[in-house]
Amino acid sequence: RAFNHSLYLGHGDSNKATGNQQQSLQLQPMEVKPMLFLEFAGHSETSVMEDLAAAQSICMDYDGRNFAFASDEETRQALWAARHRLYYSAIALRSQDGDDGGATSRSTLVTDACVPLSCFADVVTATANDVKEFGVIGPCFGHAGDGNFHCILPMLENDSVEYKEKVSQVNANLIERAMSVGGTCTGEHGVGYGKKKYLECMYGTGGIAIMVAIKKALDPWNMMNPGKILDLKA
């Protein structure tokens, strides 16, 4: 049997939580502040609680606040709901804007990069600062355990050229910043048309040449997703 616990904590000004006692949770709306969600699993309740207590202690040392944790499935799902619904919640931030019904998944830019864990906080913070300085809407979130993160940038079909350029610049800065610290231009969503221009910077001309050779060997007529990642000469 696997034992599971979910832990949610926020970074804020509320009183520090003490101890690791199970709470009778009455979940309240979360503050608009950085949040961390963790999940623990193990072979026994004791081992899981020990890991949870250790993680909580570390987070408290770095000013973590508002701890809440649970083991029953219903409350665990309630804790995770904020993370699971974040994509649609981000789009909804502009759902009432404009005359065309607001932002949709089709008009939203989803960024995706991955950086070394030692650089994760700095790169996410710098991206959040870009969002603020450019005056666009763009919540940042990610999978902190593997250095992968996203900035969701909801747009409208009729957004001004200036606004769309600002969104593009946020994305470009994010990617270039990620690569500058040894990260990648994509963490899980792939390269495609939008990011193939960054491949040479990441892998060099030699790396691209190898990719082209493999592509030609497996797809000599360039029939499979032509131009999607590599531009092949006729």
Side-chain angles (χ1 to χ4, degrees):
R1 177 188 176 190
F3 292 84
N4 295 279
H5 273 278
S6 294
L7 168 67
Y8 143 77
L9 63 97
H11 183 284
D13 301 322
S14 301
N15 294 330
K16 286 188 177 180
T18 57
N20 61 358
Q21 69 277 8
Q22 174 74 30
Q23 300 175 8
S24 177
L25 290 175
Q26 296 293 326
L27 297 180
Q28 302 296 323
M30 296 177 179
E31 297 180 81
V32 183
K33 292 182 178 179
M35 305 290 177
L36 180 63
F37 296 85
L38 303 170
E39 191 162 54
F40 300 85
H43 66 279
S44 72
E45 183 80 5
T46 299
S47 67
V48 171
M49 290 303 295
E50 288 175 350
D51 289 344
L52 189 151
Q56 179 173 328
S57 177
I58 293 170
C59 292
M60 288 174 67
D61 289 341
Y62 288 89
D63 210 25
R65 302 285 193 273
N66 302 331
F67 293 88
F69 64 89
S71 56
D72 66 282
E73 186 64 20
E74 182 179 357
T75 311
R76 288 177 62 238
Q77 291 301 320
L79 283 172
W80 277 101
R83 170 61 182 88
H84 294 159
R85 299 172 184 172
L86 203 152
Y87 171 67
Y88 296 103
S89 297
I91 295 175
L93 290 173
R94 300 197 66 197
S95 63
Q96 303 300 319
D97 291 349
D99 299 324
D100 59 354
T104 67
S105 58
R106 291 173 59 89
S107 62
T108 294
L109 175 61
V110 181
T111 70
D112 172 47
C114 196
V115 299
L117 283 178
S118 59
C119 303
F120 185 83
D122 290 338
V123 174
V124 171
T125 299
T127 302
N129 289 338
D130 273 355
V131 167
K132 183 177 180 179
E133 291 173 9
F134 281 105
V136 299
I137 302 296
C140 294
F141 70 100
H143 320 280
D146 60 11
N148 182 208
F149 78 100
H150 314 286
C151 178
I152 307 299
L153 296 154
M155 291 189 290
L156 310 180
E157 296 291 349
N158 62 354
D159 267 335
S160 67
V161 172
E162 180 184 9
Y163 189 91
K164 291 179 180 179
E165 288 177 347
K166 289 179 179 179
V167 166
S168 295
Q169 191 60 55
V170 169
N171 183 40
N173 289 355
L174 183 160
I175 294 171
E176 291 167 8
R177 195 176 288 122
M179 293 192 299
S180 72
V181 297
T184 69
C185 68
T186 180
E188 60 179 343
H189 293 172
V191 178
Y193 297 118
K195 296 183 179 180
K196 64 181 181 181
K197 62 183 178 182
Y198 297 108
L199 288 182
E200 186 170 340
C201 178
M202 287 182 57
Y203 300 112
T205 54
I208 298 301
I210 292 174
M211 294 182 193
V212 169
I214 295 172
K215 169 72 170 174
K216 287 183 175 179
L218 298 176
D219 182 21
W221 292 283
N222 195 26
M223 297 176 64
M224 296 184 289
N225 288 330
K228 193 63 178 283
I229 298 177
L230 301 168
D231 292 316
L232 304 185
K233 297 180 180 179

